Amino acid sequence: MDDNKIKKAVKMILEAIGENPDREGLAETPDRIARMYGEIFSGLGQSPEKHLKKVFTVDSDDMVLEKNIVFYSMCEHHLMPFYGRVHIAYVPRGKVVGLSKLARTVEVFARRLQLQERMTYEIADSIMKYLNPKGVMVVVEAEHMCMTMRGIKKPGSRTVTTAIRGIFVDKREFRNEVYEMIKMK
């Protein structure tokens, strides 16, 4: 990440909207934005393999569901945040991954310029690739600031995307079970 370019660009934006980038409240803003971008785009250049390669042997191939994984991302169309929850279900093939690793995998993809649809299938595809489960289902629910504070201005509207792989494609009862489990408190 090129912090100096970010600082320069932010200063130019401030000037372009008619602000004085040297006034007290804005003088350190370019530096703050550069540090923030380092954090919110930290998924760039990261691979989910780092998080999904450590597995544990289990005697059961029962479904695993980790739900309500909170994420924050940035829409690549408007450079505005979108945020919500990810639910991941998979049917292992004798191997499971540590639960925190699923949340870390979500972060790898959320912390970059993103489309919700792409993020959903990237999470599913990486789990299929690195865990080799019988199947995976990823459900993402998100609110997009580009829909709530600009444009159509519809706060509270949520977009839901799914990615269904492996056994979940043919087994409708598995998909229904995941949806029911997501609803559970």
Side-chain angles (χ1 to χ4, degrees), residues 87 116-117 120 138-142 144 158-162 179:
H87 315 285
Q116 179 177 334
E117 298 87 343
T120 305
V138 176
V139 180
V140 179
E141 310 172 57
H144 294 250
R158 302 195 53 83
T159 301
V160 178
T161 52
T162 61
Y179 290 130

Side-chain angles (χ1 to χ4, degrees), residues 24-161:
E24 182 181 26
L26 295 175
E28 295 177 24
T29 296
D31 184 58
R32 281 191 292 269
I33 298 294
R35 287 193 319 268
M36 176 186 71
Y37 278 5
E39 180 182 338
I40 65 177
F41 297 125
S42 63
L44 290 166
Q46 285 190 22
S47 168
E49 180 181 16
K50 170 183 169 185
H51 305 296
L52 296 173
K53 68 182 178 183
K54 176 69 173 164
V55 294
F56 305 97
T57 303
V58 292
D59 293 332
S60 171
D61 287 347
D62 291 331
M63 185 187 317
V64 175
L65 170 67
E66 186 165 345
K67 65 182 194 174
N68 296 322
I69 303 168
V70 174
F71 78 92
Y72 299 89
S73 192
M74 292 288 275
C75 167
E76 67 182 37
H77 293 153
H78 298 100
L79 296 181
M80 293 188 78
F82 68 97
Y83 57 91
R85 299 177 186 280
V86 177
H87 315 285
I88 301 171
Y90 70 101
V91 178
R93 207 182 293 269
K95 301 280 185 190
V96 295
V97 68
L99 295 177
S100 71
K101 304 308 183 191
L102 294 175
R104 290 182 192 284
T105 298
V106 169
E107 289 297 298
V108 165
F109 294 113
R111 292 189 173 272
R112 43 179 86 171
L113 288 174
Q114 197 53 278
L115 295 174
Q116 179 177 334
E117 298 87 343
R118 181 187 321 119
M119 184 178 86
T120 305
Y121 71 70
E122 285 176 335
I123 294 167
D125 291 343
S126 65
I127 291 169
M128 287 299 290
K129 179 177 180 179
Y130 296 112
L131 294 185
N132 190 32
K134 292 179 181 178
V136 66
M137 182 170 164
V138 176
V139 180
V140 179
E141 310 172 57
E143 185 165 339
H144 294 250
M145 295 304 290
C146 58
M147 287 267 302
T148 62
M149 71 179 284
R150 61 153 303 281
I152 193 76
K153 295 183 184 87
K154 296 296 179 199
S157 63
R158 302 195 53 83
T159 301
V160 178
T161 52

